[in-house]
Amino acid sequence: NQYGMGTRIDQATANTALHERAAAFGLEAMSVDGIDVEAVANAARTLVEGARAGRPGFLAVSCYRFYGHARKDKSPYRDPAEEETGRRKDPVAYARDVLVTRGLAKAAELDTLDAAIDAEMDATIDFTIAQTEPPLSTMFRDVYAPEEPEPEPVRTRIARVLARD
């Protein structure tokens, strides 16, 4: 996404063509522009087929990070003009335009789909907020293999050690 935390990739490495680095290690390597979801899917399909045939691969997908690295990162290290240019490379908007231009979907159909997705996401957030936090004693459930015993909770261990006299 052009950045590692707050450092542009071209300021951190001499060769920004990451797929070339991967190829140097013997991987089947490709690079695609992340704005084009079809190109990403086709490249991924090619590399997955190769991986299933025993040839490991590497796919570098170039994209732009619309926001800072984390919630509180207002990205003061980025130039506003760069951000404006980067935000114009929205793969969702690009894919939508391709679908409408090719006559594969109507804008109104996509608007309806967007509204349904928004409603589903809102319902998911509401569901999540309404949930109760699981008991701390279950934090290791389904983490280890079934035949492995769960780790002893710290409080239980402390109590056991202190009870030894």
Side-chain angles (χ1 to χ4, degrees), residues 6-25:
T7 305
R8 279 190 55 83
I9 191 170
D10 59 359
Q11 295 174 350
T13 183
N15 184 0
T16 60
L18 301 178
H19 67 290
E20 291 176 3
R21 290 173 153 195
F25 288 98

Side-chain angles (χ1 to χ4, degrees), residues 18-20 22 27-32 39 42-44 46-47 57-61:
L18 301 178
H19 67 290
E20 291 176 3
L27 298 171
E28 286 192 32
M30 299 174 77
S31 179
V32 293
N42 290 334
T46 298
L47 290 173
F58 176 88
L59 178 59
V61 180

Side-chain angles (χ1 to χ4, degrees), residues 54-161:
R55 297 181 312 273
F58 176 88
L59 178 59
V61 180
S62 179
C63 60
Y64 189 76
R65 187 176 75 202
F66 287 179
Y67 301 99
H69 180 74
R71 175 183 272 172
K72 294 185 179 194
D73 178 6
K74 303 296 181 202
S75 62
Y77 43 84
R78 296 198 299 193
D79 180 83
E82 173 195 332
E83 285 197 28
E84 184 180 328
T85 301
R87 288 176 191 271
R88 281 191 240 130
K89 296 179 112 188
D90 182 344
V92 175
Y94 180 84
R96 178 187 179 97
D97 186 50
V98 167
L99 290 171
V100 172
T101 301
R102 291 184 187 167
L104 299 171
K106 292 182 169 81
E109 295 170 335
L110 296 175
D111 290 341
T112 301
L113 181 60
D114 286 343
I117 291 168
D118 286 347
E120 183 177 348
M121 290 179 74
D122 288 347
T124 301
I125 291 169
D126 292 341
F127 173 82
T128 303
I129 290 170
Q131 299 309 300
T132 57
E133 194 170 310
L136 191 57
S137 61
T138 66
M139 71 186 282
F140 293 113
R141 188 170 297 149
D142 299 323
V143 173
Y144 297 96
E147 63 275 2
E148 292 290 323
E150 289 185 7
E152 182 179 23
V154 173
R155 288 183 184 189
T156 304
R157 184 173 181 195
I158 290 171
R160 181 177 50 76
V161 169

